[in-house]
Amino acid sequence: MLDARPKYRPPKDGESIDTLACFHCGDPCDINDIRIGDKYFCCNGCRTVYELLKERDLCSYYTLDEANRGRSPKDAVYSRRYAYLDDAEIERRIIDFSDADTRVATFRIPAMHCSSCIWLLERLNAIHDGIVSSRVNFPRKEVTVTWKASKLALSELVTLLASVGYEPYISLQSVAEKRRRDTDRKLYYKIGVAGFSFGNIMLFSFPEYLATDAGIDPVFEVFFRYINVLLALPVFFYSSLEYFQSAWSGLRRKLLNIDVPLSIGILMLFGRSMYDIFSHADAGYLDSFAGLVFFLLIGKVFQKKTYDALSFDRDFRSYFPLSVAVRENGHESTIPLTKLKIHDRIIVRNQELIPADAVLLRGEANIDYSFVTGEADLVQKKSGEHIHAGGRQIGQLIELEVVKDIEQSYLTRLWNNDVFTKEEHHGLTRLVDRISGRFTAAVLLIATSAALFWLWMDPSMVVTVFTAVLIIACPCALALSSPFALGSAQRVFGNNDFYIKNTETVEKLASIDTIVFDKTGTLTRNASTSIRFRDGVLSEEEQSMVKSLLRQSTHTLSRQVFASLNADVTMHVEDYRELPGQGIEGRILGRRTSIGAREWTGRESGGSEVSGATKVYVSIDGNPRGFFSVPNRYRPGLKEVVDALRADYEMVILSGDSANEETALRTLFGQDVPMHFNQSPVEKMEYIARLRRHGRRVLMLGDGLNDAGALKAADVGISLSEDINTFSPACDGILSASRFAIFDRLLHYSRSSVAVVKASFVLSLTYNVTGISFAVAGLLTPLVSAILMPLSSITVVAFTTLLTRWAAHKQGL
Amino acid sequence: MQVMFVLIGFSLLVALIFLGLYLWAVRTGQFDDKVTPSIRMLFDDESVSNDDKQEEVDKDKSDHSK
């Protein structure tokens, strides 16, 4: 999860400065006049952090990890933004512990990425006097800060964190995530208890197994048995409790999940042992019993791999700001979003989200709805017009009047749809649960017939044989095979930057037959953010000229460069002409400006090389000024992925954008792939629901919030993310966008993993059949059970783990 | 041979102590984060120690729990 950054190096003689990396964050320096001595910075924010660190003698930060530099505190206007945190209600929900003067709170810091981050975040007390201590949990990307309320308010603390480049992510939804930790610990307690008992019971059982014909001293024999009973009690009443609970809740819903036969096995092992020990002085199967529970719990831990830093269950609330600026009686104040009412007048600034449906009162609104609809073009609104929630304002400050509650707004209505409100139906979705019904029936049938047979042969053996069959048929190996196979598969996925929510997702992935792609941001990249101007500098006026000229053109590249420029578009363009395939030209303020291909702008060959990007050259009055590097629209490897998937999967494209790219997509996907354009979020969701009603198993690959409904409605929703630490909508898996090219291999690998699970089922059933043949014959001694049980478990675990790793190796993952 | 009972008692006691230590380690959160401590131990100790401030907080916390 660590992202490498370019290494800082001081400028060499004669080297142009714009290829330099920022001393603090390692980003390229676009403007080259921000410097201290020979250290250059990409922005004033980075310089401020550097100064702050230098002042406190914390510069060893820069020697910690040469490859991973600090985080750049981009647009550092924070003081106003966090004022709402001093609202008592919000403060109470964020703070974990508060006492007279001491406060403790845990913040999620998405920007945390390397060991230097840990170092700096744990030295916050050197930066501000009011901070007592801070402690990082790196896998969770959290920092727990203890501070003095008298010296530092919560809002000031958050502002401080943001100003050193670690802006915390604060959402009221994240509060709920804290509860999960306790359940994890419970599992560790249970394993500890079971492992302790298992080891000791084994030890006290050895004399029995190893004794010669003369036997051991009867006093010790009895003593050991009673110790074993004592040791087994906590395993039965504490460690194995959750198997009983799960089996019971399954039975109540008339479902035979895998925990039912497991519970029967556990109950039989324990009951039969108690009976043997107390009634006719036999050894019992307590070592097998404790071992069984211990192995099962280990399987559970292995399966419970979670990606702490990621969240798969976000809804729109995580995207919304927590606060909003409100104007009341000509006076501006910041209030928590939850207190926003109809008729409130709100103020939305550049890059801020409009939280509720509203009417524009003042200002010029340019709304970016890409977040909601996937449509990349800005929508202009005039005062008096209605604006839907979820749009982002680009440009100047606007003032709006709220006309609908947040819960009733256009965007949030999507979340009121059945797909989100309905509790997901937990049927027998797992492979192992689906076969456990038949398994249980078969075992009960065998046990009963064996009992009937012995009733006729030798009635004294009936109970012995019946319980022996149920004991040995306990599907321990069966229950362990899928956690280990699918758990290994999940880890293999994780190593390839594909993070899935749980192991069941692997099984669901393997059963997919239809793949639905979103277009914008999924098949294409969100390029406007990474467009750079290179080999030169444009003044503000020139930028404005370029942008005004670009506005005339409808070419895709023009639109992208237009969107990336942050300048006014007020200038008048004369003599405009456009030559398809070459470029555009016009006269602005009397200066002839041309934008387009290299020949078009009259530039000599040469200049910086940029791979995987298209160059858009600019020249003014015939003088070359440099070029915009526009990354290619389609993701690298898209064609290969599509070709590899064509044989096994049906593909569909759903786009919120207009159909102007259909021809390009057709050449990639072929003529028979269904493509639907201008789809609203709700239409996307309904389309997928319709596919599923027709019996298709659907995978949705999307990115933005506009796909949230579709991701949720699909059997498997995978969100493609440029930066996996930013927030993606609720989904089953997050795929790092840089790994899109291996998407086909990931899908094929999920199928191999499920094949491994099936093979291991055969193996473990073989063990069960072997064991049952002992049991039916009345020959199941505690020793046979004590050997067979761990042997089957360990071989199954080794078999599945090795085979899934081998399959991954074969796929090149 | 009666001494065996005492020895077994001792061995169980030792095992119980280790179980107790394990449960204590889980309870104090030592298994919650298995990555950060391994990085933290590599940092040099040149930085400011805030022992006195920390003590103050510990006092606050214990006052609170009383």
Side-chain angles (χ1 to χ4, degrees), chain A residues 468-480:
Chain A
V469 170
L470 291 181
I471 285 171
I472 204 66
C474 176
C476 172
L478 198 67
L480 283 177

Side-chain angles (χ1 to χ4, degrees), chain A residues 268 272 442-470 772 774-778:
Chain A
M268 282 299 150
R272 169 82 184 271
V443 166
L444 285 174
L445 189 74
I446 295 172
T448 318
S449 5
L452 289 174
F453 171 76
W454 283 99
L455 191 64
W456 171 62
M457 288 291 286
D458 175 2
S460 71
M461 288 289 283
V462 171
V463 178
T464 319
V465 169
F466 185 74
T467 51
V469 170
L470 291 181
I772 285 176
F774 274 101
V776 173

Side-chain angles (χ1 to χ4, degrees), chain A residues 60-241:
Chain A
S60 49
Y61 173 69
Y62 293 107
T63 59
L64 286 169
D65 191 346
E66 282 287 330
N68 290 305
R69 312 301 301 193
R71 291 303 286 216
S72 157
K74 292 263 150 57
D75 55 55
V77 204
Y78 298 109
S79 47
R80 174 182 42 83
R81 198 194 290 182
Y82 294 115
Y84 71 93
L85 287 173
D86 292 329
D87 180 88
E89 168 66 10
I90 288 193
E91 194 172 346
R92 194 182 56 76
R93 291 181 70 171
I94 289 171
I95 289 178
D96 302 335
F97 167 87
S98 79
D99 190 38
D101 193 26
T102 304
R103 302 277 183 278
V104 181
T106 302
F107 301 98
R108 187 180 272 264
I109 314 271
M112 200 190 291
H113 68 291
C114 67
S115 54
S116 313
C117 299
I118 302 176
W119 188 87
L120 183 60
L121 284 168
E122 297 204 333
R123 271 153 194 77
L124 289 176
N125 50 11
I127 295 177
H128 194 286
D129 195 34
I131 295 172
V132 178
S133 67
S134 46
R135 204 152 174 87
V136 169
N137 183 327
F138 190 66
R140 303 182 72 92
K141 291 189 189 284
E142 281 176 357
V143 60
T144 304
V145 184
T146 309
W147 78 98
K148 295 282 180 197
S150 56
K151 290 182 183 161
L152 191 67
L154 177 62
S155 62
E156 287 166 348
L157 173 66
V158 173
T159 310
L160 174 75
L161 282 168
S163 71
V164 290
Y166 298 100
E167 187 177 359
Y169 168 75
I170 297 170
S171 132
L172 296 181
Q173 202 192 355
S174 64
V175 175
E177 286 173 20
K178 282 184 188 139
R179 316 274 170 261
R180 208 178 54 202
R181 202 172 299 188
D182 299 335
T183 56
D184 284 358
R185 285 191 187 166
K186 246 184 198 150
L187 191 58
Y188 281 113
Y189 291 142
K190 286 179 177 172
I191 287 190
V193 170
F196 164 79
S197 299
F198 171 51
N200 284 291
I201 293 175
M202 275 251 277
L203 210 60
F204 293 122
S205 302
F206 273 145
E208 190 103 33
Y209 298 149
L210 303 177
T212 50
D213 292 338
I216 48 174
D217 189 333
V219 183
F220 283 121
E221 200 173 25
V222 173
F223 177 60
F224 289 153
R225 280 178 196 161
Y226 287 147
I227 286 189
N228 281 351
V229 171
L230 269 182
L231 287 168
L233 287 175
V235 181
F236 185 76
F237 288 105
Y238 179 62
S239 299
S240 53
L241 207 60

Side-chain angles (χ1 to χ4, degrees), chain A residues 298-542:
Chain A
I298 286 192
K300 217 162 221 183
V301 169
F302 193 78
Q303 191 174 20
K304 261 212 178 119
K305 167 88 186 167
T306 48
Y307 298 103
D308 290 326
L310 304 178
S311 178
F312 297 99
D313 305 303
R314 293 183 191 281
D315 66 10
F316 66 94
R317 275 181 287 267
S318 329
Y319 290 85
F320 274 25
L322 277 182
S323 71
V324 60
V326 180
R327 191 188 294 278
E328 235 171 333
N329 311 326
H331 169 76
E332 187 184 330
S333 62
T334 310
I335 63 162
L337 198 59
T338 45
K339 293 187 181 164
L340 190 68
K341 301 180 301 291
I342 296 182
H343 302 313
D344 276 352
R345 288 179 155 213
I346 56 172
I347 293 166
V348 176
R349 290 183 168 79
N350 188 20
Q351 297 290 338
E352 285 183 346
L353 207 70
I354 294 155
D357 290 2
V359 167
L360 185 63
L361 296 179
R362 208 157 57 82
E364 191 180 312
N366 289 300
I367 312 291
D368 170 13
Y369 274 118
S370 59
F371 193 52
V372 185
T373 57
E375 173 73 55
D377 294 335
L378 295 184
V379 180
Q380 292 192 352
K381 296 272 186 185
K382 294 205 172 55
S383 70
E385 282 190 275
H386 190 91
I387 299 180
H388 287 311
R392 199 179 284 282
Q393 160 69 357
I394 309 287
Q396 48 170 266
L397 174 151
I398 51 172
E399 201 174 314
L400 311 110
E401 184 176 318
V402 177
V403 292
K404 270 185 188 166
D405 281 334
I406 292 168
E407 298 293 327
Q408 298 300 316
S409 290
Y410 168 75
L411 174 65
T412 49
R413 273 207 312 266
L414 181 63
W415 271 267
N416 298 332
N417 189 290
D418 279 353
V419 181
F420 290 95
T421 50
K422 204 163 55 187
E423 191 63 17
E424 208 172 316
H425 180 66
H426 290 287
L428 295 179
T429 48
R430 296 186 302 168
L431 200 59
V432 65
D433 284 331
R434 282 205 299 270
I435 69 164
S436 84
R438 264 172 280 171
F439 181 87
T440 315
V443 166
L444 285 174
L445 189 74
I446 295 172
T448 318
S449 5
L452 289 174
F453 171 76
W454 283 99
L455 191 64
W456 171 62
M457 288 291 286
D458 175 2
S460 71
M461 288 289 283
V462 171
V463 178
T464 319
V465 169
F466 185 74
T467 51
V469 170
L470 291 181
I471 285 171
I472 204 66
C474 176
C476 172
L478 198 67
L480 283 177
S481 59
S482 52
F484 277 92
L486 301 177
S488 310
Q490 190 186 12
R491 283 163 176 77
V492 168
F493 282 150
N495 293 339
N496 288 284
D497 297 332
F498 176 39
Y499 305 95
I500 53 173
K501 192 173 167 183
N502 50 34
T503 51
E504 280 157 51
T505 309
V506 183
E507 288 183 37
K508 285 198 225 153
L509 267 179
S511 67
I512 292 302
D513 56 26
T514 307
I515 304 174
V516 179
F517 293 97
D518 166 54
K519 187 183 74 73
T520 319
T522 305
L523 298 178
T524 64
R525 293 192 279 200
N526 293 327
S528 59
T529 49
S530 46
I531 293 177
R532 283 186 181 285
F533 191 72
R534 307 177 70 117
D535 278 10
V537 182
L538 290 179
S539 71
E540 205 156 300
E541 187 188 76
E542 286 165 340

Side-chain angles (χ1 to χ4, degrees), chain B:
Chain B
M1 283 296 273
Q2 301 306 313
V3 74
M4 282 284 280
F5 290 109
V6 182
L7 290 176
I8 286 169
F10 272 122
S11 75
L12 265 181
L13 190 71
V14 172
L16 271 172
I17 289 171
F18 279 107
L19 176 67
L21 280 176
Y22 168 78
L23 295 180
W24 167 80
V26 176
R27 222 173 80 88
T28 50
Q30 295 185 34
F31 287 80
D32 290 354
D33 179 1
K34 283 159 265 182
V35 178
T36 325
S38 67
I39 302 170
R40 190 180 289 131
M41 66 179 281
L42 299 173
F43 295 141
D44 296 328
D45 296 332
E46 84 328 315
S47 91
V48 265
S49 79
N50 275 281
D51 287 347
D52 37 308
K53 272 203 274 183
Q54 185 64 49
E55 274 164 27
E56 220 178 293
V57 175
D58 292 343
K59 214 184 82 214
D60 276 359
K61 277 187 186 171
S62 55
D63 287 348
H64 184 75
S65 54
K66 263 173 214 168

